[in-house]
Amino acid sequence: MRAAVVREFGGPEAVRIAEVAVPEPGTRQVRIKVAAAAVNPVDAGVRAGVFGGAGKTLGLGWDVAGTVDAVGEPTAWRAGDPVVALVPGLAEPLGAHAEYVVVAADAVAAAPASVDAVHAATLPLNGLTAVQALDLLDLAPGASLLVTGAAGAVGGFAVQLAAHRGIEVVGHAREGDEEAVRALGAARFTAGAVEPRSVDAVLDAAVLGAPALESVRDGGAFVAVRDGVLPRAERGVRTENVWVRADGARLAELVRLVDEGVLTLRVAESFALEDAAKAHARLAGGGLRGRLVLVP
């Protein structure tokens, strides 16, 4: 089968299409025939060597939408089931940017019925990151939350999920994104500094760090979405990173919210798998509102 891989670190040109063996599912695993797979900043990090792995062939792709092709018993999934899943891209030699991918059965959820596979492929990584970050913040309805990077993929899901929980969201993004951020459910919008100690918590999707922490009240909470990037804790503010993990049951909840119209799935552009390097170049160009998606 064909797969997008990295054998030497570098820019978008380091992404190669290779012929590799079709993976076989083991016990409690499923093989998915990939219909679509999103391209995320973490893929650019793998390509650039941020996570190590020199001298190895590294697969790319954390998000997958497709159909179950084969199963390793015991599992309730059956061939032909339309599904979505989070693929642990840093733990496997082959990721979702391929014609087939194998994942743990408990990482899988039935695909949304209301959208196509290209849109469905944008949900797992960013949706799970957002909901797991909100779980860490543990805010009650009526609490106030600053979401930085509110127009981006993780930030956009966080705005929608928090608003759905009855949380008052302050969306932080560029001036030109105000209409889009408010449409996602933000009660307030800002493109500049936020008043110090004015919100109960921050979900820092834009990795602003210390300036965003200043907006949290004493004893509030701060969660960053990039591993290991945390400002120094102060004033009793609890600070944590969200370490996204595969969770098929939680992903199924997000799928339900998609089908209920609570969550919007945004696609900026789709590319053929053969054009994975072009997709990486487009990602590097920035300014995207929605995910890039590869289609085998």
Side-chain angles (χ1 to χ4, degrees):
M1 71 169 187
R2 298 167 302 147
V5 302
V6 171
R7 292 180 173 136
E8 294 181 357
F9 300 139
E13 72 285 350
V15 179
R16 305 290 186 184
I17 304 300
E19 285 291 333
V20 301
V22 176
E24 294 296 333
T27 303
R28 295 185 178 87
Q29 291 184 321
V30 300
R31 185 171 69 204
I32 299 171
K33 180 175 173 58
V34 179
V39 181
N40 289 282
V42 67
D43 296 308
V46 173
R47 185 201 74 220
V50 172
F51 306 103
K56 300 178 180 179
T57 296
L58 302 175
L60 300 168
W62 286 58
D63 286 313
V64 61
T67 54
V68 174
D69 171 73
V71 301
E73 299 290 356
T75 176
W77 298 107
R78 291 293 176 257
D81 289 343
V83 295
V84 290
L86 175 66
V87 182
L90 300 182
E92 302 292 341
L94 292 173
H97 296 169
E99 293 181 285
Y100 296 89
V101 66
V102 167
V103 299
D106 62 6
V108 178
S114 57
V115 298
D116 60 20
V118 171
H119 284 79
T122 67
L123 178 63
L125 175 60
N126 296 291
L128 284 170
T129 300
V131 75
Q132 290 170 11
L134 288 171
D135 290 345
L136 288 174
L137 290 170
D138 192 24
L139 299 173
S144 56
L145 171 68
L146 172 66
V147 177
T148 70
V154 173
F157 281 132
V159 170
Q160 292 177 94
L161 289 166
H164 183 64
R165 295 182 180 188
I167 296 165
E168 181 185 7
V169 178
V170 182
H172 185 282
R174 297 174 182 173
E175 287 282 2
D177 289 320
E178 179 173 1
E179 182 178 352
V181 171
R182 288 188 179 276
L184 292 172
R188 291 182 281 157
F189 175 86
T190 181
V194 178
E195 182 180 350
R197 308 185 187 187
S198 62
V199 296
D200 295 310
V202 167
L203 195 160
D204 191 16
V207 198
L208 299 184
L213 182 68
E214 285 296 315
S215 67
V216 184
R217 64 168 174 80
D218 294 357
F222 179 102
V223 169
V225 303
R226 186 175 297 174
D227 293 348
V229 179
L230 279 178
R232 184 185 300 274
E234 58 182 46
R235 300 181 288 106
V237 175
R238 173 171 56 88
T239 62
E240 294 185 71
N241 284 114
V242 58
W243 302 82
V244 67
R245 63 191 183 279
D247 185 336
R250 209 63 196 279
L251 183 55
E253 295 175 10
L254 295 175
V255 167
R256 177 179 57 80
L257 293 176
V258 169
D259 285 337
E260 291 177 356
V262 174
L263 292 181
T264 302
L265 304 180
R266 297 176 292 167
V267 174
E269 190 174 352
S270 61
F271 292 80
L273 177 62
E274 290 84 354
D275 294 326
K278 292 181 181 179
H280 276 249
R282 178 66 187 89
L283 180 66
L288 296 171
R289 291 296 174 258
R291 279 286 172 248
L292 304 175
V293 179
L294 298 179
V295 179

